[in-house]
């Protein structure tokens, strides 16, 4: 899961993982506006080259609501299995909200890693 600044590093990881492993990756990326979505060609290339192992979905907060909304958290928790690893990267508010939400959903702490690029001390939003 990535927001804005975290999307580039996630995409780089995805390119390497697709080339050198048999991992299945689902990337959920949050952007404020549709025109903020970047790297569309690289995402499309990964989807075409690895249709069984790579997928990417976008949440546009100005129209869809926050990527860390209760609805989004519930949908991810519902499709994940017991071996799903969550890597949260980007805005500290999103990272902290997802980390808290995944803990509430019963995801073991060992299955959640984080990278926060700004807003490090943001507390999870109760809404």
């Amino acid at each position: 899961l990535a927001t804005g600044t975290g999307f580039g590093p996630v995409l780089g990881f995805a390119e390497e993982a697709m080339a050198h492993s048999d991992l299945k990756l689902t990337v959920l990326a949050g952007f404020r506006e549709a025109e903020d979505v970047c790297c569309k060609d690289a995402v499309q290339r990964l989807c075409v080259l690895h249709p069984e192992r790579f997928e990417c979905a976008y949440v546009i907060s100005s129209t869809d609501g926050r990527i860390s909304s209760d609805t989004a958290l519930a949908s991810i928790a519902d499709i994940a299995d017991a071996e799903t690893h969550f890597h949260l990267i980007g805005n500290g508010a999103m990272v902290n909200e997802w980390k808290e939400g995944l803990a509430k959903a019963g995801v073991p702490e060992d299955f959640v890693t984080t990278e926060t690029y700004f807003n490090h001390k943001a507390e999870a939003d109760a809404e």
Side-chain angles (χ1 to χ4, degrees):
L1 292 95
T3 56
T5 59
F7 189 62
V10 164
L11 206 50
F13 171 80
E15 289 171 337
E16 286 297 307
M18 292 298 101
H20 303 290
S21 77
D22 60 354
L23 285 175
K24 181 178 187 297
L25 295 176
T26 301
V27 175
L28 179 60
F31 294 93
R32 189 174 311 273
E33 303 289 341
E35 55 270 8
D36 295 338
V37 176
C38 60
C39 307
K40 292 178 186 176
D41 291 342
V43 170
Q44 181 62 28
R45 183 174 52 253
L46 286 170
C47 289
V48 168
L49 292 174
H50 309 284
E52 301 298 319
R53 297 191 308 122
F54 180 81
E55 61 185 320
C56 182
Y58 303 104
V59 174
I60 307 302
S61 62
S62 64
T63 57
D64 302 329
R66 293 168 60 91
I67 193 171
S68 54
S69 70
D70 288 342
T71 303
L73 287 165
S75 67
I76 295 300
D78 288 344
I79 62 170
D81 64 30
E83 295 183 14
T84 298
H85 180 93
F86 294 88
H87 187 68
L88 315 174
I89 182 170
N91 181 334
M94 178 279 298
V95 167
N96 293 335
E97 288 167 11
W98 269 91
K99 191 172 180 181
E100 183 177 294
L102 292 170
K104 287 179 184 175
V107 174
E109 210 174 299
D110 291 350
F111 284 75
V112 179
T113 53
T114 64
E115 289 181 58
T116 303
Y117 291 138
F118 65 97
N119 210 6
H120 301 324
K121 295 181 182 179
E123 293 185 22
D125 187 344
E127 293 181 23

